[in-house]
């Protein structure tokens, strides 16, 4: 699931979401720019194993933070690594 921080971040995440889906991975963008806690609770409720976060800093670097919802581990990475990480699980 891609976290929704607002319009600019959504515009950045939509092409990444398309790439992830093209790789055969089920993915979604949270429908509105709600508080982070609400979005994380939603991911936990739906047993979503990974959450991608892209804020202002990540966008500048053309990266996203991939959070493993089970271990809590976070890595700053690109969409190719996200795809390979999820596919290897």
């Amino acid at each position: 699931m891609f976290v929704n921080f607002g319009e600019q971040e959504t515009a950045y995440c939509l092409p990444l979401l398309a790439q992830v889906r093209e790789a055969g991975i089920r993915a979604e963008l949270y429908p509105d720019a709600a508080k982070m806690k609400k979005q994380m609770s939603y991911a936990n409720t739906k047993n979503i194993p990974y959450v991608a976060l892209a804020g202002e800093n990540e966008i500048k670097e053309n990266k996203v933070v991939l959070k493993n919802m089970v271990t809590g581990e976070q890595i700053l990475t690109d969409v190719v690594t996200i795809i390979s990480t999820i596919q290897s699980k």
Side-chain angles (χ1 to χ4, degrees):
M1 180 187 91
F2 285 83
V3 171
N4 187 336
F5 288 119
E7 283 183 37
Q8 178 183 351
E9 293 82 359
T10 297
Y12 176 76
C13 287
L14 283 174
L16 303 179
L17 177 63
Q19 283 182 277
V20 170
R21 287 178 172 166
E22 284 171 18
I25 299 167
R26 289 188 350 216
E28 64 185 275
L29 173 68
Y30 194 81
D32 46 55
K35 292 188 191 255
M36 177 77 124
K37 184 176 181 179
K38 182 177 181 181
Q39 295 185 54
M40 291 300 188
S41 293
Y42 171 83
N44 280 328
T45 301
K46 296 209 40 177
N47 292 318
I48 295 171
Y50 292 96
V51 173
L53 305 102
E56 191 177 319
N57 293 336
E58 290 79 16
I59 292 170
K60 284 179 187 171
E61 295 181 41
N62 201 29
K63 305 267 187 189
V64 294
V65 171
L66 183 65
K67 178 178 175 114
N68 181 320
M69 294 297 284
V70 176
T71 66
E73 178 187 5
Q74 295 186 154
I75 56 169
L76 181 64
T77 189
D78 58 29
V79 71
V80 174
T81 305
I82 288 173
I83 291 167
S84 63
T85 299
I86 294 172
Q87 287 178 336
S88 69
K89 299 294 176 194

